Amino acid sequence: MKFSKDDTLLMKGFAIIFLCCYHCFSDYSRLSGVDVNFFPLSQKTGIYISESLNLCVGMFAFLSVYGMTLTLKGKKIDLALSIKEKLQFVTGRYIGLIGGFLIPFFFCHIVSAILSYDPYGEGVVNHVCNFILDMLGVSKFFDTPLMTETWWYMSLAVLFIIVFPFVIDIYRKYSVLIIPLVAAFLLLSVDHIENMNRWLFIIPLGVCFADLDWFQKLYQWIRKNSKTSWIKRIVIYFLFLVVVYLRPHPWGLAHIPLIVNSVTSIFMIFILYDIFYTPSKLKRAFMFLGRHSANIFYIHTFIRDIWFNKLTYSFRYAALILLFVLITTLLISVILERFKYIIKWNEKIRSVKQLCCQKIEKCKIRG
């Protein structure tokens, strides 16, 4: 059994829980002045663990690249694309990304307008420009205000879509050597680590894992000998703890996070893949969360920080706060998905994709 769509949904389910934990509890400043109880952990330990859970960003990024690679491989087994096909691929992925974003985007704007929340600044022209850039997921490219800072990830997702065909070209030429090549490029060329470059190493890793089926091969290697399987697991789990520890302790090497962040996320995905390899009711529950993970991501910050900040942290216990955020955003997501079904939103997005791809096909482009 390969790393399937169900496994992807499972990982997204865990990743969205990690994301909510990170945003709710990763720093004392995020506790809204409330003495949050992390029972059975101490507050210090709870905050430390929550801070480490920003590996969820790498998990989402990896799954995105992994999915793009498999999609492309399903169309072109050798991953070779003409210029037109590259444009069609990028256009289709971008429309799909923004298509899934628009309904939550406008929902959050409508509710925020009712509650008199507007971060775009003064002036009609300024406001409209910031609104459009945010809606198109490119605000971070222009360093303009976002409706909520957590939406910065949209720009990273757009960046991944744009550079993906070029990365595939490099991969076809150099195969797995793309991993050290990209690592060297990042270590030598990045001056300052920020959100838009922190996770770029995940791209070559995602391509290699998808094309070469490394998850399944690693799993088979572990299970090959029942007498040594647990020893192998202990080694892998230990290495995971080591890279988790290294993330906030670069030992004077300021660029270590460029590599370690991505590696940590993949370790986490494999460990979950190993634990939940066989079907179970618990796995299905996380898969259900995974199906709604995008909407939960878009909305959760509004619940915990903008619309219902005091109510959210009034529960005082970290577990109750997390449950409130997850249940509230999940209910909103279910309603939004029902609305999308009624207006046949996904069908409309597919039609737009097809139309754009047809227009590209008719263009006179060599290659």
Side-chain angles (χ1 to χ4, degrees), residues 243-276:
V243 293
V244 168
Y245 180 77
L246 280 175
R247 290 176 68 246
H249 300 87
W251 306 105
L253 302 175
H255 286 65
I256 271 189
L258 286 170
I259 308 302
V260 175
N261 282 336
S262 298
V263 173
T264 307
S265 300
I266 293 176
F267 264 111
M268 186 76 261
I269 289 174
F270 177 74
I271 289 170
L272 293 172
Y273 177 65
D274 181 41
I275 293 173
F276 291 91

PDB file of all heavy atoms in Angstrom, residues 243-276:
ATOM      1  N   VAL A 243      16.495  16.222  15.704  1.00  0.00           N
ATOM      2  CA  VAL A 243      16.279  17.357  14.810  1.00  0.00           C
ATOM      3  C   VAL A 243      15.294  18.356  15.427  1.00  0.00           C
ATOM      4  O   VAL A 243      15.406  19.566  15.197  1.00  0.00           O
ATOM      5  CB  VAL A 243      15.792  16.910  13.412  1.00  0.00           C
ATOM      6  CG1 VAL A 243      16.874  16.145  12.687  1.00  0.00           C
ATOM      7  CG2 VAL A 243      14.508  16.103  13.486  1.00  0.00           C
ATOM      8  N   VAL A 244      14.334  17.853  16.227  1.00  0.00           N
ATOM      9  CA  VAL A 244      13.432  18.760  16.949  1.00  0.00           C
ATOM     10  C   VAL A 244      14.228  19.620  17.920  1.00  0.00           C
ATOM     11  O   VAL A 244      14.001  20.824  18.056  1.00  0.00           O
ATOM     12  CB  VAL A 244      12.332  17.977  17.702  1.00  0.00           C
ATOM     13  CG1 VAL A 244      11.585  18.885  18.679  1.00  0.00           C
ATOM     14  CG2 VAL A 244      11.342  17.372  16.721  1.00  0.00           C
ATOM     15  N   TYR A 245      15.195  18.994  18.602  1.00  0.00           N
ATOM     16  CA  TYR A 245      16.031  19.727  19.558  1.00  0.00           C
ATOM     17  C   TYR A 245      16.947  20.717  18.842  1.00  0.00           C
ATOM     18  O   TYR A 245      17.208  21.817  19.345  1.00  0.00           O
ATOM     19  CB  TYR A 245      16.865  18.740  20.366  1.00  0.00           C
ATOM     20  CG  TYR A 245      17.765  19.417  21.377  1.00  0.00           C
ATOM     21  CD1 TYR A 245      17.256  19.920  22.571  1.00  0.00           C
ATOM     22  CD2 TYR A 245      19.138  19.561  21.127  1.00  0.00           C
ATOM     23  CE1 TYR A 245      18.073  20.546  23.487  1.00  0.00           C
ATOM     24  CE2 TYR A 245      19.960  20.190  22.044  1.00  0.00           C
ATOM     25  CZ  TYR A 245      19.431  20.677  23.221  1.00  0.00           C
ATOM     26  OH  TYR A 245      20.241  21.311  24.133  1.00  0.00           O
ATOM     27  N   LEU A 246      17.412  20.344  17.654  1.00  0.00           N
ATOM     28  CA  LEU A 246      18.341  21.209  16.919  1.00  0.00           C
ATOM     29  C   LEU A 246      17.679  22.487  16.408  1.00  0.00           C
ATOM     30  O   LEU A 246      18.342  23.512  16.260  1.00  0.00           O
ATOM     31  CB  LEU A 246      18.930  20.457  15.725  1.00  0.00           C
ATOM     32  CG  LEU A 246      20.089  19.494  15.993  1.00  0.00           C
ATOM     33  CD1 LEU A 246      20.444  18.757  14.720  1.00  0.00           C
ATOM     34  CD2 LEU A 246      21.302  20.253  16.531  1.00  0.00           C
ATOM     35  N   ARG A 247      16.367  22.434  16.133  1.00  0.00           N
ATOM     36  CA  ARG A 247      15.695  23.567  15.502  1.00  0.00           C
ATOM     37  C   ARG A 247      15.902  24.885  16.246  1.00  0.00           C
ATOM     38  O   ARG A 247      16.285  25.884  15.637  1.00  0.00           O
ATOM     39  CB  ARG A 247      14.204  23.270  15.346  1.00  0.00           C
ATOM     40  CG  ARG A 247      13.931  22.197  14.310  1.00  0.00           C
ATOM     41  CD  ARG A 247      12.467  21.830  14.236  1.00  0.00           C
ATOM     42  NE  ARG A 247      11.690  22.927  13.706  1.00  0.00           N
ATOM     43  CZ  ARG A 247      10.775  23.602  14.394  1.00  0.00           C
ATOM     44  NH1 ARG A 247      10.529  23.303  15.649  1.00  0.00           N
ATOM     45  NH2 ARG A 247      10.096  24.577  13.830  1.00  0.00           N
ATOM     46  N   PRO A 248      15.681  24.932  17.575  1.00  0.00           N
ATOM     47  CA  PRO A 248      15.916  26.201  18.269  1.00  0.00           C
ATOM     48  C   PRO A 248      17.349  26.360  18.769  1.00  0.00           C
ATOM     49  O   PRO A 248      17.672  27.339  19.424  1.00  0.00           O
ATOM     50  CB  PRO A 248      14.938  26.128  19.449  1.00  0.00           C
ATOM     51  CG  PRO A 248      14.860  24.675  19.767  1.00  0.00           C
ATOM     52  CD  PRO A 248      15.007  23.954  18.453  1.00  0.00           C
ATOM     53  N   HIS A 249      18.227  25.384  18.460  1.00  0.00           N
ATOM     54  CA  HIS A 249      19.605  25.439  18.925  1.00  0.00           C
ATOM     55  C   HIS A 249      20.552  25.252  17.742  1.00  0.00           C
ATOM     56  O   HIS A 249      21.104  24.166  17.530  1.00  0.00           O
ATOM     57  CB  HIS A 249      19.869  24.343  19.972  1.00  0.00           C
ATOM     58  CG  HIS A 249      19.014  24.450  21.184  1.00  0.00           C
ATOM     59  ND1 HIS A 249      17.767  23.873  21.268  1.00  0.00           N
ATOM     60  CD2 HIS A 249      19.208  25.080  22.370  1.00  0.00           C
ATOM     61  CE1 HIS A 249      17.235  24.121  22.445  1.00  0.00           C
ATOM     62  NE2 HIS A 249      18.077  24.852  23.134  1.00  0.00           N
ATOM     63  N   PRO A 250      20.730  26.260  16.922  1.00  0.00           N
ATOM     64  CA  PRO A 250      21.548  26.121  15.707  1.00  0.00           C
ATOM     65  C   PRO A 250      23.045  26.030  15.955  1.00  0.00           C
ATOM     66  O   PRO A 250      23.813  25.942  15.011  1.00  0.00           O
ATOM     67  CB  PRO A 250      21.204  27.383  14.913  1.00  0.00           C
ATOM     68  CG  PRO A 250      20.829  28.388  15.953  1.00  0.00           C
ATOM     69  CD  PRO A 250      20.138  27.606  17.041  1.00  0.00           C
ATOM     70  N   TRP A 251      23.481  26.090  17.224  1.00  0.00           N
ATOM     71  CA  TRP A 251      24.896  25.953  17.561  1.00  0.00           C
ATOM     72  C   TRP A 251      25.766  26.910  16.768  1.00  0.00           C
ATOM     73  O   TRP A 251      26.840  26.551  16.271  1.00  0.00           O
ATOM     74  CB  TRP A 251      25.357  24.511  17.323  1.00  0.00           C
ATOM     75  CG  TRP A 251      24.508  23.504  18.034  1.00  0.00           C
ATOM     76  CD1 TRP A 251      23.573  22.689  17.499  1.00  0.00           C
ATOM     77  CD2 TRP A 251      24.497  23.225  19.444  1.00  0.00           C
ATOM     78  NE1 TRP A 251      22.976  21.923  18.465  1.00  0.00           N
ATOM     79  CE2 TRP A 251      23.537  22.223  19.671  1.00  0.00           C
ATOM     80  CE3 TRP A 251      25.220  23.732  20.543  1.00  0.00           C
ATOM     81  CZ2 TRP A 251      23.258  21.722  20.931  1.00  0.00           C
ATOM     82  CZ3 TRP A 251      24.933  23.227  21.798  1.00  0.00           C
ATOM     83  CH2 TRP A 251      23.974  22.237  21.985  1.00  0.00           C
ATOM     84  N   GLY A 252      25.283  28.145  16.623  1.00  0.00           N
ATOM     85  CA  GLY A 252      26.056  29.163  15.926  1.00  0.00           C
ATOM     86  C   GLY A 252      25.925  29.128  14.417  1.00  0.00           C
ATOM     87  O   GLY A 252      26.446  29.994  13.732  1.00  0.00           O
ATOM     88  N   LEU A 253      25.234  28.113  13.889  1.00  0.00           N
ATOM     89  CA  LEU A 253      25.029  27.999  12.445  1.00  0.00           C
ATOM     90  C   LEU A 253      23.637  28.547  12.129  1.00  0.00           C
ATOM     91  O   LEU A 253      22.649  27.832  12.178  1.00  0.00           O
ATOM     92  CB  LEU A 253      25.174  26.545  11.994  1.00  0.00           C
ATOM     93  CG  LEU A 253      26.530  25.892  12.330  1.00  0.00           C
ATOM     94  CD1 LEU A 253      26.511  24.423  11.958  1.00  0.00           C
ATOM     95  CD2 LEU A 253      27.651  26.609  11.595  1.00  0.00           C
ATOM     96  N   ALA A 254      23.581  29.804  11.789  1.00  0.00           N
ATOM     97  CA  ALA A 254      22.299  30.508  11.667  1.00  0.00           C
ATOM     98  C   ALA A 254      21.394  29.943  10.579  1.00  0.00           C
ATOM     99  O   ALA A 254      20.183  30.136  10.622  1.00  0.00           O
ATOM    100  CB  ALA A 254      22.557  31.992  11.396  1.00  0.00           C
ATOM    101  N   HIS A 255      21.965  29.222   9.601  1.00  0.00           N
ATOM    102  CA  HIS A 255      21.162  28.743   8.484  1.00  0.00           C
ATOM    103  C   HIS A 255      20.681  27.298   8.647  1.00  0.00           C
ATOM    104  O   HIS A 255      20.034  26.755   7.746  1.00  0.00           O
ATOM    105  CB  HIS A 255      21.947  28.867   7.175  1.00  0.00           C
ATOM    106  CG  HIS A 255      22.047  30.278   6.691  1.00  0.00           C
ATOM    107  ND1 HIS A 255      22.736  31.249   7.379  1.00  0.00           N
ATOM    108  CD2 HIS A 255      21.520  30.895   5.599  1.00  0.00           C
ATOM    109  CE1 HIS A 255      22.645  32.396   6.720  1.00  0.00           C
ATOM    110  NE2 HIS A 255      21.919  32.209   5.639  1.00  0.00           N
ATOM    111  N   ILE A 256      20.980  26.679   9.779  1.00  0.00           N
ATOM    112  CA  ILE A 256      20.521  25.305  10.008  1.00  0.00           C
ATOM    113  C   ILE A 256      19.011  25.158   9.846  1.00  0.00           C
ATOM    114  O   ILE A 256      18.538  24.166   9.286  1.00  0.00           O
ATOM    115  CB  ILE A 256      20.974  24.800  11.397  1.00  0.00           C
ATOM    116  CG1 ILE A 256      22.359  24.153  11.257  1.00  0.00           C
ATOM    117  CG2 ILE A 256      20.000  23.812  11.998  1.00  0.00           C
ATOM    118  CD1 ILE A 256      22.832  23.420  12.474  1.00  0.00           C
ATOM    119  N   PRO A 257      18.198  26.135  10.322  1.00  0.00           N
ATOM    120  CA  PRO A 257      16.742  25.979  10.159  1.00  0.00           C
ATOM    121  C   PRO A 257      16.294  25.802   8.713  1.00  0.00           C
ATOM    122  O   PRO A 257      15.247  25.189   8.464  1.00  0.00           O
ATOM    123  CB  PRO A 257      16.188  27.289  10.756  1.00  0.00           C
ATOM    124  CG  PRO A 257      17.203  27.691  11.767  1.00  0.00           C
ATOM    125  CD  PRO A 257      18.521  27.308  11.160  1.00  0.00           C
ATOM    126  N   LEU A 258      17.040  26.318   7.747  1.00  0.00           N
ATOM    127  CA  LEU A 258      16.672  26.143   6.342  1.00  0.00           C
ATOM    128  C   LEU A 258      16.615  24.675   5.950  1.00  0.00           C
ATOM    129  O   LEU A 258      15.856  24.287   5.051  1.00  0.00           O
ATOM    130  CB  LEU A 258      17.672  26.868   5.433  1.00  0.00           C
ATOM    131  CG  LEU A 258      17.585  28.395   5.381  1.00  0.00           C
ATOM    132  CD1 LEU A 258      18.785  28.958   4.642  1.00  0.00           C
ATOM    133  CD2 LEU A 258      16.288  28.835   4.718  1.00  0.00           C
ATOM    134  N   ILE A 259      17.415  23.857   6.602  1.00  0.00           N
ATOM    135  CA  ILE A 259      17.455  22.425   6.315  1.00  0.00           C
ATOM    136  C   ILE A 259      16.654  21.642   7.338  1.00  0.00           C
ATOM    137  O   ILE A 259      15.811  20.808   6.997  1.00  0.00           O
ATOM    138  CB  ILE A 259      18.908  21.908   6.291  1.00  0.00           C
ATOM    139  CG1 ILE A 259      19.771  22.764   5.343  1.00  0.00           C
ATOM    140  CG2 ILE A 259      18.950  20.448   5.898  1.00  0.00           C
ATOM    141  CD1 ILE A 259      19.278  22.806   3.920  1.00  0.00           C
ATOM    142  N   VAL A 260      16.892  21.930   8.606  1.00  0.00           N
ATOM    143  CA  VAL A 260      16.302  21.143   9.692  1.00  0.00           C
ATOM    144  C   VAL A 260      14.788  21.255   9.735  1.00  0.00           C
ATOM    145  O   VAL A 260      14.087  20.272  10.000  1.00  0.00           O
ATOM    146  CB  VAL A 260      16.920  21.558  11.051  1.00  0.00           C
ATOM    147  CG1 VAL A 260      16.221  20.842  12.202  1.00  0.00           C
ATOM    148  CG2 VAL A 260      18.408  21.243  11.063  1.00  0.00           C
ATOM    149  N   ASN A 261      14.242  22.439   9.472  1.00  0.00           N
ATOM    150  CA  ASN A 261      12.785  22.605   9.521  1.00  0.00           C
ATOM    151  C   ASN A 261      12.072  21.623   8.595  1.00  0.00           C
ATOM    152  O   ASN A 261      11.087  20.985   8.984  1.00  0.00           O
ATOM    153  CB  ASN A 261      12.409  24.037   9.128  1.00  0.00           C
ATOM    154  CG  ASN A 261      12.641  25.021  10.244  1.00  0.00           C
ATOM    155  OD1 ASN A 261      12.654  24.675  11.409  1.00  0.00           O
ATOM    156  ND2 ASN A 261      12.841  26.286   9.891  1.00  0.00           N
ATOM    157  N   SER A 262      12.555  21.525   7.377  1.00  0.00           N
ATOM    158  CA  SER A 262      11.924  20.637   6.398  1.00  0.00           C
ATOM    159  C   SER A 262      12.108  19.173   6.773  1.00  0.00           C
ATOM    160  O   SER A 262      11.181  18.368   6.656  1.00  0.00           O
ATOM    161  CB  SER A 262      12.504  20.904   5.005  1.00  0.00           C
ATOM    162  OG  SER A 262      12.233  22.238   4.601  1.00  0.00           O
ATOM    163  N   VAL A 263      13.299  18.816   7.208  1.00  0.00           N
ATOM    164  CA  VAL A 263      13.578  17.429   7.590  1.00  0.00           C
ATOM    165  C   VAL A 263      12.702  17.013   8.772  1.00  0.00           C
ATOM    166  O   VAL A 263      12.171  15.889   8.802  1.00  0.00           O
ATOM    167  CB  VAL A 263      15.073  17.261   7.931  1.00  0.00           C
ATOM    168  CG1 VAL A 263      15.339  15.873   8.502  1.00  0.00           C
ATOM    169  CG2 VAL A 263      15.931  17.506   6.703  1.00  0.00           C
ATOM    170  N   THR A 264      12.515  17.913   9.735  1.00  0.00           N
ATOM    171  CA  THR A 264      11.680  17.615  10.898  1.00  0.00           C
ATOM    172  C   THR A 264      10.250  17.293  10.476  1.00  0.00           C
ATOM    173  O   THR A 264       9.636  16.349  10.985  1.00  0.00           O
ATOM    174  CB  THR A 264      11.661  18.811  11.869  1.00  0.00           C
ATOM    175  OG1 THR A 264      12.991  19.185  12.182  1.00  0.00           O
ATOM    176  CG2 THR A 264      10.929  18.444  13.160  1.00  0.00           C
ATOM    177  N   SER A 265       9.720  18.070   9.551  1.00  0.00           N
ATOM    178  CA  SER A 265       8.349  17.858   9.089  1.00  0.00           C
ATOM    179  C   SER A 265       8.195  16.496   8.426  1.00  0.00           C
ATOM    180  O   SER A 265       7.182  15.809   8.629  1.00  0.00           O
ATOM    181  CB  SER A 265       7.954  18.960   8.108  1.00  0.00           C
ATOM    182  OG  SER A 265       8.028  20.232   8.728  1.00  0.00           O
ATOM    183  N   ILE A 266       9.188  16.079   7.654  1.00  0.00           N
ATOM    184  CA  ILE A 266       9.099  14.786   6.969  1.00  0.00           C
ATOM    185  C   ILE A 266       9.222  13.642   7.970  1.00  0.00           C
ATOM    186  O   ILE A 266       8.526  12.621   7.846  1.00  0.00           O
ATOM    187  CB  ILE A 266      10.180  14.695   5.877  1.00  0.00           C
ATOM    188  CG1 ILE A 266       9.860  15.704   4.775  1.00  0.00           C
ATOM    189  CG2 ILE A 266      10.257  13.288   5.298  1.00  0.00           C
ATOM    190  CD1 ILE A 266      10.890  15.794   3.692  1.00  0.00           C
ATOM    191  N   PHE A 267      10.071  13.793   8.970  1.00  0.00           N
ATOM    192  CA  PHE A 267      10.146  12.806  10.042  1.00  0.00           C
ATOM    193  C   PHE A 267       8.775  12.625  10.683  1.00  0.00           C
ATOM    194  O   PHE A 267       8.314  11.510  10.923  1.00  0.00           O
ATOM    195  CB  PHE A 267      11.151  13.248  11.117  1.00  0.00           C
ATOM    196  CG  PHE A 267      12.520  12.649  10.963  1.00  0.00           C
ATOM    197  CD1 PHE A 267      13.599  13.439  10.611  1.00  0.00           C
ATOM    198  CD2 PHE A 267      12.737  11.305  11.191  1.00  0.00           C
ATOM    199  CE1 PHE A 267      14.871  12.901  10.474  1.00  0.00           C
ATOM    200  CE2 PHE A 267      13.997  10.749  11.065  1.00  0.00           C
ATOM    201  CZ  PHE A 267      15.075  11.550  10.703  1.00  0.00           C
ATOM    202  N   MET A 268       8.092  13.749  10.962  1.00  0.00           N
ATOM    203  CA  MET A 268       6.790  13.699  11.609  1.00  0.00           C
ATOM    204  C   MET A 268       5.782  12.971  10.728  1.00  0.00           C
ATOM    205  O   MET A 268       5.008  12.144  11.218  1.00  0.00           O
ATOM    206  CB  MET A 268       6.298  15.125  11.883  1.00  0.00           C
ATOM    207  CG  MET A 268       5.000  15.216  12.684  1.00  0.00           C
ATOM    208  SD  MET A 268       5.215  14.880  14.447  1.00  0.00           S
ATOM    209  CE  MET A 268       4.705  13.154  14.574  1.00  0.00           C
ATOM    210  N   ILE A 269       5.792  13.258   9.447  1.00  0.00           N
ATOM    211  CA  ILE A 269       4.865  12.601   8.523  1.00  0.00           C
ATOM    212  C   ILE A 269       5.122  11.100   8.478  1.00  0.00           C
ATOM    213  O   ILE A 269       4.178  10.292   8.525  1.00  0.00           O
ATOM    214  CB  ILE A 269       4.987  13.214   7.108  1.00  0.00           C
ATOM    215  CG1 ILE A 269       4.407  14.630   7.097  1.00  0.00           C
ATOM    216  CG2 ILE A 269       4.252  12.346   6.072  1.00  0.00           C
ATOM    217  CD1 ILE A 269       4.604  15.371   5.788  1.00  0.00           C
ATOM    218  N   PHE A 270       6.396  10.699   8.420  1.00  0.00           N
ATOM    219  CA  PHE A 270       6.678   9.267   8.352  1.00  0.00           C
ATOM    220  C   PHE A 270       6.273   8.556   9.639  1.00  0.00           C
ATOM    221  O   PHE A 270       5.731   7.442   9.600  1.00  0.00           O
ATOM    222  CB  PHE A 270       8.158   8.995   8.080  1.00  0.00           C
ATOM    223  CG  PHE A 270       8.463   7.525   8.093  1.00  0.00           C
ATOM    224  CD1 PHE A 270       8.071   6.722   7.033  1.00  0.00           C
ATOM    225  CD2 PHE A 270       9.078   6.937   9.192  1.00  0.00           C
ATOM    226  CE1 PHE A 270       8.294   5.347   7.058  1.00  0.00           C
ATOM    227  CE2 PHE A 270       9.315   5.565   9.221  1.00  0.00           C
ATOM    228  CZ  PHE A 270       8.920   4.765   8.155  1.00  0.00           C
ATOM    229  N   ILE A 271       6.524   9.172  10.772  1.00  0.00           N
ATOM    230  CA  ILE A 271       6.148   8.550  12.050  1.00  0.00           C
ATOM    231  C   ILE A 271       4.636   8.338  12.106  1.00  0.00           C
ATOM    232  O   ILE A 271       4.150   7.273  12.526  1.00  0.00           O
ATOM    233  CB  ILE A 271       6.642   9.414  13.230  1.00  0.00           C
ATOM    234  CG1 ILE A 271       8.169   9.325  13.334  1.00  0.00           C
ATOM    235  CG2 ILE A 271       5.988   8.978  14.536  1.00  0.00           C
ATOM    236  CD1 ILE A 271       8.782  10.306  14.310  1.00  0.00           C
ATOM    237  N   LEU A 272       3.864   9.334  11.684  1.00  0.00           N
ATOM    238  CA  LEU A 272       2.411   9.192  11.656  1.00  0.00           C
ATOM    239  C   LEU A 272       1.991   8.126  10.641  1.00  0.00           C
ATOM    240  O   LEU A 272       1.056   7.357  10.879  1.00  0.00           O
ATOM    241  CB  LEU A 272       1.764  10.531  11.319  1.00  0.00           C
ATOM    242  CG  LEU A 272       1.909  11.627  12.383  1.00  0.00           C
ATOM    243  CD1 LEU A 272       1.387  12.962  11.842  1.00  0.00           C
ATOM    244  CD2 LEU A 272       1.165  11.258  13.655  1.00  0.00           C
ATOM    245  N   TYR A 273       2.667   8.090   9.504  1.00  0.00           N
ATOM    246  CA  TYR A 273       2.400   7.074   8.475  1.00  0.00           C
ATOM    247  C   TYR A 273       2.642   5.677   9.031  1.00  0.00           C
ATOM    248  O   TYR A 273       1.861   4.746   8.785  1.00  0.00           O
ATOM    249  CB  TYR A 273       3.293   7.350   7.274  1.00  0.00           C
ATOM    250  CG  TYR A 273       3.188   6.356   6.141  1.00  0.00           C
ATOM    251  CD1 TYR A 273       2.011   6.224   5.410  1.00  0.00           C
ATOM    252  CD2 TYR A 273       4.285   5.579   5.782  1.00  0.00           C
ATOM    253  CE1 TYR A 273       1.918   5.336   4.356  1.00  0.00           C
ATOM    254  CE2 TYR A 273       4.206   4.685   4.721  1.00  0.00           C
ATOM    255  CZ  TYR A 273       3.022   4.558   4.014  1.00  0.00           C
ATOM    256  OH  TYR A 273       2.938   3.668   2.974  1.00  0.00           O
ATOM    257  N   ASP A 274       3.695   5.537   9.789  1.00  0.00           N
ATOM    258  CA  ASP A 274       4.037   4.244  10.382  1.00  0.00           C
ATOM    259  C   ASP A 274       3.008   3.836  11.443  1.00  0.00           C
ATOM    260  O   ASP A 274       2.557   2.690  11.481  1.00  0.00           O
ATOM    261  CB  ASP A 274       5.441   4.331  11.006  1.00  0.00           C
ATOM    262  CG  ASP A 274       5.891   3.013  11.619  1.00  0.00           C
ATOM    263  OD1 ASP A 274       5.634   1.964  11.003  1.00  0.00           O
ATOM    264  OD2 ASP A 274       6.484   3.040  12.706  1.00  0.00           O
ATOM    265  N   ILE A 275       2.615   4.777  12.290  1.00  0.00           N
ATOM    266  CA  ILE A 275       1.680   4.476  13.378  1.00  0.00           C
ATOM    267  C   ILE A 275       0.286   4.150  12.843  1.00  0.00           C
ATOM    268  O   ILE A 275      -0.389   3.228  13.330  1.00  0.00           O
ATOM    269  CB  ILE A 275       1.607   5.662  14.360  1.00  0.00           C
ATOM    270  CG1 ILE A 275       2.958   5.829  15.080  1.00  0.00           C
ATOM    271  CG2 ILE A 275       0.493   5.458  15.384  1.00  0.00           C
ATOM    272  CD1 ILE A 275       3.039   7.075  15.936  1.00  0.00           C
ATOM    273  N   PHE A 276      -0.154   4.908  11.821  1.00  0.00           N
ATOM    274  CA  PHE A 276      -1.516   4.761  11.309  1.00  0.00           C
ATOM    275  C   PHE A 276      -1.534   4.069   9.948  1.00  0.00           C
ATOM    276  O   PHE A 276      -2.375   4.379   9.108  1.00  0.00           O
ATOM    277  CB  PHE A 276      -2.182   6.132  11.198  1.00  0.00           C
ATOM    278  CG  PHE A 276      -2.470   6.777  12.520  1.00  0.00           C
ATOM    279  CD1 PHE A 276      -1.540   7.626  13.112  1.00  0.00           C
ATOM    280  CD2 PHE A 276      -3.653   6.532  13.195  1.00  0.00           C
ATOM    281  CE1 PHE A 276      -1.799   8.228  14.339  1.00  0.00           C
ATOM    282  CE2 PHE A 276      -3.927   7.118  14.411  1.00  0.00           C
ATOM    283  CZ  PHE A 276      -2.996   7.963  14.989  1.00  0.00           C
TER     284      PHE A 276
END
